[in-house]
Amino acid sequence: LRRGLLSTATRSPRLLSSTRLAPSLSQTYSAGMKILAVLYKGGEAAQQEPRLLGTIENQLGIRPWLESLGHEFIVTDDKEGSESVFQKNIVDAEVLITTPFHPAYVTKDIIDKAKNLKLCITAGVGSDHVDLNAAVEKRIQVLEVSGSNVVSVAEHVIMSILLLVRNFVPAHEMIERGDWQVSDVARNAYDLEGKVVGTIGAGRIGYRVLQRLVPFNCKELLYYDYAALPEEAAKAVNARRVEDLKDFVSQCDVVTVNCPLHEGTRGLVNAELLKHFKKGAWLVNTARGAICDKDAVAEAIKSGQLNGYAGDVWNVQPAPRDHVWRTMKNPLGGGNGMVPHYSGTTLDAQARYAAGTKSILENYLENKPQEPQNIIIGLSGYETKAYGQRK
Ligand code: NAI
């Protein structure tokens, strides 16, 4: 049972729907098809560092291969508005590849325009940028490279928890400014030992976060998830499940969000729920920005209801320059651990999701069944249980 949670290659059995074990057959592809990739601009860094595979410059390393097969491969970072390269080419593309770091938003409108679209591949994990219900209706398959960056994110979560609890950012800023006033930072610095830490979502990432927290001797590890962990897996990290969300947050000193964004999690952490948090709790969200209400979080930081918020995901990406999460501060001038969306795109992760994207494409082109754990939407609908509870 634990193998599923621990292996990056397999989904835990409880996440498999019955149809998963017999994956949908892929559709027949057209010869000389148009494959469109929306990736992020890597600039000089990508020219100097070829391992930045998720960029428009390095193109997941698949251009020579696709062209040798006679396919047209269009790569762009230009994704907003009807005149964008993305929107112009989606009209007749058969396959769309995009990353969650610079996502092409595949709304219902776009799906209606995309008459030829058969397959959306997420180069990474998290396919909420696609209107999944609209994809089901149009029988567009949505696949992601499950497991490809879950360790990368879990490590970032542990780092973010520590930097908030230990008040790291203001301490470092003080040093850069040339100041030295220990009490100004120590007055809001704590140990993680003895705290209660809980994860919303205990799938691949959430479980890895729990595992990595074990040596810190927290007072208790909690999780909130409609799917219970296998008993053995829960026992291995000594995690207790709390079934009511308000009850759950009211017990945590630190809450970390590790569930996908879907109808049931959009705005889940809102002004009402934040009232139930312990005063001065810390919140870490590396799942998706829109799971937390932007203004409610900013207000909770300002008032001190939350002592800190950290993460790398934003409700819109790239985040506008004046996004309140860039600069929000708690009453003591700290509590902000925000960075651009990069936790799941370390160079190690990029190698894995580029290889996984190629393998999904290969299966599609050769009409082979896809790895069941990678299928979010198959030809007969949702093939995962992680994007909300459905019949
Ligand atoms: P997973 O599918 O292994 O686990 C997700 C878990 O969330 C499942 O156990 C599911 O039951 C649970 N869940 C779903 N809805 C829930 C709800 N309403 N309340 C509580 N739990 C709920 O997914 P994995 O690999 O752990 O990834 C989780 C998410 O993390 C992705 O969907 C993505 O949005 C995000 N992510 C972020 C990255 C980054 O770079 N910041 C990189 C990779 C993933």
Side-chain angles (χ1 to χ4, degrees), residues 11 14-15 101 125-126 128 149-150 153 200-206 224-227 258-262 264-265 268 286-288 312-313 341-345 385-388:
R11 202 171 269 264
R14 69 182 168 78
L15 296 177
F101 312 103
V125 172
D128 50 277
N149 51 17
V150 294
V153 179
I200 299 180
R204 294 184 186 80
I205 297 173
Y224 170 81
D225 193 317
Y226 53 70
N258 297 295
C259 57
L261 173 64
H262 55 75
T265 58
L268 187 70
T286 52
R288 284 297 176 258
D312 65 332
V313 285
H341 191 172
Y342 85 108
S343 72
T345 192
K385 289 187 172 170
Y387 279 79

Side-chain angles (χ1 to χ4, degrees), residues 329-348:
K329 295 275 195 298
N330 66 23
L332 295 174
N336 187 329
M338 289 307 293
V339 293
H341 191 172
Y342 85 108
S343 72
T345 192
T346 57
L347 294 180
D348 301 294

Side-chain angles (χ1 to χ4, degrees), residues 75-126:
V75 179
T76 184
D77 68 326
D78 178 23
K79 66 187 181 82
E80 304 301 339
S82 57
E83 290 305 302
S84 62
V85 177
F86 161 57
Q87 291 209 19
K88 281 187 172 162
N89 283 282
I90 196 69
V91 177
D92 58 347
E94 180 161 339
V95 177
L96 170 72
I97 303 170
T98 188
T99 73
F101 312 103
H102 185 75
Y105 293 107
V106 188
T107 58
K108 187 173 182 319
D109 284 356
I110 300 273
I111 285 185
D112 286 342
K113 273 199 226 163
K115 299 288 181 220
N116 204 25
L117 188 62
K118 296 198 174 119
L119 174 65
C120 293
I121 305 175
T122 303
V125 172

Side-chain angles (χ1 to χ4, degrees), residues 299-366:
E299 190 46 47
I301 292 288
K302 195 173 157 205
S303 72
Q305 172 61 10
L306 283 180
N307 198 354
Y309 183 89
D312 65 332
V313 285
W314 305 72
N315 56 339
V316 180
Q317 295 188 182
R321 291 187 80 90
D322 62 352
H323 196 293
V324 64
W325 286 3
R326 287 180 185 262
T327 50
M328 63 189 175
K329 295 275 195 298
N330 66 23
L332 295 174
N336 187 329
M338 289 307 293
V339 293
H341 191 172
Y342 85 108
S343 72
T345 192
T346 57
L347 294 180
D348 301 294
Q350 296 195 43
R352 290 188 295 261
Y353 70 64
T357 300
K358 184 174 180 201
S359 152
I360 291 170
L361 268 174
E362 257 164 357
N363 290 336
Y364 182 75
L365 297 176
E366 291 167 18

